[in-house]
């Protein structure tokens, strides 16, 4: 049995999903149709601070800061998530997922074009087809959307290898989930690729999980990380 496993985040690692997230949140918070024109300046600002968010519920606090034109966004966001309203968050998440599900169901072609694969996705697909390494997706996106994306691009990853918000929400962190998964499946070494350093830090206590920060996603500025090319080289060396 192969003792190595490759863990991959989805948003900001395999696919550029920012526009979909932006439009869903804009409709949810501002009541603006996702078919309306995007304000480029606001979209750039939304992208700039997206690294602060790594769970859907966090958008509940992120949206007012970005859509209402606040200053000192990072500090205000930090204060907000230390004073959480769990009931309001849950209602927000339910509505967010409902809007996304309605979009997929009734405007599939529009939705499909909101998310685009990075070259990293195609390189991983090639590696999978040639070497068949163990690849596991760990993402707070909903599972059905992830599987649909893989299938639409001919990447035949088993749904059993996709662990999305339905599972990950039961664990304190991604790191805790991955450590348990490796222990149960008998994997000794792993690489974990994510564009959010907060998720990577959850592996600090698991030295057998190598962390790769994806700088091509919505990563925090001024952090050391990997380009798509260097990440692929690291992965190739790991699985050989």
């Amino acid at each position: 049995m192969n003792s190595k496993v490759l863990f991959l985040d989805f948003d900001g690692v395999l696919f550029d999903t920012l526009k979909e997230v932006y439009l869903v949140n804009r409709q949810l918070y501002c009541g603006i149709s996702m078919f309306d024109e995007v304000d480029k300046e606001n979209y750039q600002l939304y992208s700039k601070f997206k690294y602060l968010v790594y769970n859907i519920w966090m958008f509940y606090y992120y949206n007012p800061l970005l859509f209402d034109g606040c200053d000192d966004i990072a500090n205000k966001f930090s204060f907000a998530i230390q004073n959480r309203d769990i009931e309001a968050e849950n209602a927000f998440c339910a509505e967010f997922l409902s809007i996304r599900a309605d979009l997929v169901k009734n405007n599939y072609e529009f939705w499909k074009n909101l998310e685009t694969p990075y070259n990293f996705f195609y390189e991983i697909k090639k590696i999978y087809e040639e070497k068949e390494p163990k690849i596991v997706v760990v993402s707070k996106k909903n599972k059905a959307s992830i599987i649909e994306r893989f299938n639409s691009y001919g990447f035949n990853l088993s749904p059993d290898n996709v662990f999305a918000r339905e599972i990950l929400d039961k664990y304190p962190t991604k790191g805790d989930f991955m450590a348990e998964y490796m222990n149960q499946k008998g994997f000794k070494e792993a690489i974990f690729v994510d564009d959010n350093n907060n998720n990577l830090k959850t592996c600090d206590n698991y030295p057998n999980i190598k962390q790769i920060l994806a700088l091509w996603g919505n990563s925090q500025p001024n952090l050391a990380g990997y380009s798509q090319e260097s990440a692929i080289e690291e992965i190739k060396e790991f699985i050989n």
Side-chain angles (χ1 to χ4, degrees):
M1 176 182 174
N2 191 342
S3 64
K4 299 178 178 180
V5 57
L6 174 61
F7 293 109
L8 302 173
D9 182 34
F10 185 87
D11 297 320
V13 171
L14 295 170
F15 278 74
D16 181 355
T17 62
L18 182 65
K19 190 170 185 179
E20 187 237 28
V21 166
Y22 176 82
L23 292 179
V24 171
N25 277 307
R26 188 183 68 169
Q27 176 171 316
L28 182 52
Y29 185 76
C30 305
I32 299 174
S33 168
M34 58 186 67
F35 304 107
D36 286 0
E37 186 176 353
V38 169
D39 182 305
K40 292 182 180 179
E41 185 175 342
N42 183 249
Y43 184 74
Q44 289 174 351
L45 189 66
Y46 207 86
S47 174
K48 180 179 179 180
F49 290 97
K50 169 62 175 61
Y51 72 88
L52 295 168
V53 177
Y54 49 96
N55 274 303
I56 291 177
W57 63 264
M58 291 180 166
F59 285 114
Y60 175 74
Y61 305 101
Y62 187 72
N63 288 341
L65 299 176
L66 273 296
F67 290 122
D68 290 345
C70 295
D71 56 5
D72 198 19
I73 290 170
N75 285 329
K76 288 180 178 177
F77 179 79
S78 177
F79 176 81
I81 63 173
Q82 292 175 36
N83 298 272
R84 297 174 59 183
D85 182 338
I86 304 298
E87 185 176 347
E89 289 172 17
N90 290 338
F92 170 86
C93 288
E95 192 169 0
F96 179 99
L97 294 170
S98 176
I99 290 173
R100 173 185 278 165
D102 181 74
L103 179 63
V104 175
K105 179 181 179 180
N106 297 310
N107 295 281
Y108 176 80
E109 289 301 321
F110 176 80
W111 173 76
K112 185 175 69 173
N113 292 321
L114 292 179
E115 300 184 338
T116 55
Y118 292 108
N119 187 60
F120 181 82
F121 171 86
Y122 292 112
E123 291 297 321
I124 290 294
K125 180 174 182 287
K126 188 185 303 182
I127 289 171
Y128 182 74
E129 291 169 349
E130 293 176 354
K131 302 285 187 177
E132 296 187 350
K134 182 67 174 183
I135 294 177
V136 174
V137 175
V138 283
S139 169
K140 287 302 185 79
K141 198 179 188 72
N142 56 307
K143 183 170 182 173
S145 294
I146 295 171
I147 293 171
E148 192 283 334
R149 282 297 187 217
F150 271 75
N151 290 342
S152 67
Y153 285 90
F155 194 148
N156 299 313
L157 187 69
S158 170
D160 292 339
N161 290 354
V162 176
F163 294 89
R165 65 182 307 273
E166 297 89 340
I167 297 296
L168 295 182
D169 279 352
K170 300 174 184 178
Y171 290 81
T173 70
K174 284 187 177 183
D176 294 318
F177 165 77
M178 290 185 287
E180 181 179 298
Y181 179 88
M182 291 176 68
N183 184 56
Q184 291 178 347
K185 301 294 184 180
F187 291 108
K188 304 300 182 185
E189 298 177 76
I191 279 181
F192 174 36
V193 186
D194 201 302
D195 67 325
N196 194 293
N197 199 48
N198 292 292
N199 289 325
L200 293 172
K201 284 180 179 178
T202 67
C203 299
D204 284 351
N205 293 327
Y206 307 112
N208 57 337
I209 303 177
K210 180 178 177 62
Q211 304 170 27
I212 290 184
L213 178 63
L215 295 180
W216 60 92
N218 297 112
S219 60
Q220 183 176 348
N222 304 317
L223 292 180
Y226 290 74
S227 67
Q228 296 185 64
E229 295 76 15
S230 61
I232 289 295
E233 289 305 311
E234 194 75 26
I235 289 167
K236 286 180 177 179
E237 183 177 337
F238 173 72
I239 65 175
N240 285 334

